[in-house]
Amino acid sequence: MNGDWLLRGRDGRLSVYQLSGDAVLCRAERGPRGPWSAPRKVGGEQKLHTVLAVGQGADGYAHLVSWRPTVQGESGLVHSTHFRPHLAALDWHPVGHPDKKGDRTGTPAVAVDAQGRAHVFVRNKGGGVGMLAQKEKGGWDPWRDLEGKEVQDGLAAVTGESGRVELYAAVPQGLLYWRQEEPGTQPVLQEALKAPVRPGTLRALATSPERTTVFYTGTSGDLCAWRPGGEPVTLLPAAGPGPVSAVRCDLDGHDCTLLVQRTESRRVAFAAYPTELESAGAWWTESGPELPLDALVSLTTDEEDRVVAATLSPSTGRLLLTRRKDEPGLALEAWREV
C-alpha cells in the first residue's frame, strides 16, 4: 500500500481501501459516524497483483493504481476512479508500462493536481522514474521519463497547496525531489539531499502554501523531516517500521501536524507538533490494543475536521477506528472494531 488508504469522501463519509488476494476492497460509512458497509470489490473482476497506490484530489475523488498480470512474466498498470464511497468505482483501465512492456518495476505512487488529473509515478527498469498523467478532458498523456538514478522502491507523491504535483524518492545517497513548475507540466528534478535514508519509509505532506515536507526514517532509526531548500531536521526516534501517516489538523486553535506509526510493540503511536516548527519537539504516545504483525495505520479528518485514525490487518480484514474527543488536547475515543 502506498498513500493514505483511509479517506474522507466529498459526501463527508469515511472509507477504507484494502488489498485482499487478487482484488481491492472498499468499506465505507453508511452515514457520518454511522455503521459501515461490508467490503465490496473495486473496479470489476480484473485480477490484480497485491499492490495498491491511493491518491485523492481536492474534489474528494479517490484514484487507485495497481499492477495486473498480462502475459506470462509481464504486467501492466491499471487505474480506477472512485467518485463516492457508496457508488461503484470505475472499472480498472489499463494505462501501460513505463518501459512499454515487462514485469513489475516497483510500487506505484499517485497524486492528483488541482484540476483533478491523476499523476502516476513508478520506477522504470533503468532505475529512474516514469510518470503518466491524465489529460484534463479525458485520456492520458504519453509516459514520460523523469530520469534519476538508482531510485529505490517507495516513492512519495504529494500535491502542494498550490495544486502542483511533487515527488520524493530515496536513492543510496539520500533523497531526490521533483516539482511541477506550472500546472500540467512535467515535474522537474529540483534538488538532491545527501542523507542516510531507509527505503520504504517516505511520506510527504503539504505543510504551507509553497512548501511540502517529507518524513523519512534515517539509518540511525530517527524519524526526520525535510523541506527542499533547507536542511533535514531530526524529530524523534521512529516508533516502528515503515512510513508514518501524517495529517494537518487544528489542535486547540493551533495548526499542527499529527503523525501516527505502528510501534515495535505492535500498538499505535501518535505525535503532534506545530506545523513546520519541528524545533518545538514531539514525542510518541501509544494507544490501542496490540495489533497483528501486518497491521497498517492511517489518518484523516472527518466532516467536522476531527482527527480519525484507523488500523487495518490485511490478513484478517480487521478494521479498528478511533476519533479525537471533543475536548482539549489529543484525547481519543476508545478504539472500536468496525
Side-chain angles (χ1 to χ4, degrees):
M1 297 277 280
N2 190 351
D4 292 315
W5 46 265
L6 170 67
L7 301 179
R8 180 181 70 186
R10 65 183 301 163
D11 57 5
R13 299 175 185 180
L14 301 178
S15 62
V16 299
Y17 295 93
Q18 66 185 86
L19 291 161
S20 178
D22 58 7
V24 172
L25 305 180
C26 177
R27 298 183 68 179
E29 287 182 317
R30 297 186 185 276
R33 286 180 166 268
W36 284 60
S37 65
R40 296 190 307 166
K41 188 178 290 188
V42 171
E45 298 302 316
Q46 173 68 60
K47 294 184 183 298
L48 306 172
H49 290 296
T50 53
V51 61
L52 178 66
V54 183
Q56 187 178 35
D59 53 16
Y61 300 160
H63 290 258
L64 315 174
V65 178
S66 185
W67 286 101
R68 64 160 184 163
T70 52
V71 299
Q72 182 68 32
E74 296 188 7
S75 301
L77 288 163
V78 288
H79 168 269
S80 174
T81 307
H82 204 174
F83 299 106
R84 282 186 173 85
H86 279 282
L87 297 177
L90 298 181
D91 284 349
W92 292 110
H93 174 71
V95 294
H97 192 287
D99 304 307
K100 296 187 178 179
K101 65 178 183 178
D103 206 348
R104 289 167 285 172
T105 55
T107 305
V110 59
V112 186
D113 68 12
Q115 289 72 38
R117 298 174 292 206
H119 291 63
V120 179
F121 302 91
V122 70
R123 286 190 308 167
N124 55 37
K125 67 179 180 181
V129 175
M131 185 198 80
L132 184 69
Q134 280 183 315
K135 297 178 181 178
E136 192 167 357
K137 296 184 179 179
W140 295 82
D141 288 326
W143 278 95
R144 299 170 179 173
D145 186 356
L146 302 188
E147 301 181 344
K149 294 181 179 179
E150 300 182 285
V151 168
Q152 298 172 332
D153 206 17
L155 304 175
V158 62
T159 303
E161 290 185 18
S162 65
R164 296 193 293 270
V165 170
E166 304 179 17
L167 179 72
Y168 295 87
V171 294
Q173 300 79 24
L175 292 171
L176 299 179
Y177 166 67
W178 290 260
R179 185 184 66 198
Q180 286 181 322
E181 296 291 355
E182 298 292 338
T185 61
Q186 178 173 317
V188 176
L189 184 59
Q190 301 276 338
E191 197 168 342
L193 172 72
K194 288 189 177 180
V197 178
R198 285 184 184 173
T201 64
L202 276 59
R203 182 60 54 90
L205 180 70
T207 51
S208 66
E210 295 300 326
R211 293 183 294 192
T212 62
T213 300
V214 64
F215 301 95
Y216 66 90
T217 302
T219 54
S220 65
D222 288 327
L223 181 65
C224 302
W226 178 57
R227 281 179 290 281
E231 295 296 321
V233 177
T234 298
L235 266 171
L236 72 174
V244 297
S245 183
V247 70
R248 297 251 311 273
C249 58
D250 182 286
L251 294 179
D252 304 333
H254 300 283
D255 176 5
C256 290
T257 295
L258 179 64
L259 307 174
V260 66
Q261 193 169 34
R262 197 194 74 198
T263 70
E264 295 286 0
S265 59
R266 292 160 50 185
R267 297 182 71 203
V268 176
F270 294 86
Y273 67 94
T275 297
E276 294 196 348
L277 291 177
E278 288 82 8
S279 59
W283 53 92
W284 295 115
T285 300
E286 292 194 4
S287 176
E290 185 176 307
L291 301 169
L293 283 171
D294 65 343
L296 308 170
V297 294
S298 193
L299 282 173
T300 191
T301 55
D302 64 16
E303 65 174 358
E304 299 173 345
D305 288 326
R306 189 171 298 180
V307 169
V308 182
T311 73
L312 174 67
S313 167
S315 61
T316 66
R318 190 182 185 206
L319 175 65
L320 302 177
L321 204 72
T322 186
R323 276 182 168 87
R324 184 191 175 202
K325 293 181 179 179
D326 188 15
E327 60 183 61
L330 189 58
L332 299 172
E333 297 175 352
W335 289 84
R336 64 182 180 89
E337 185 167 359
V338 173

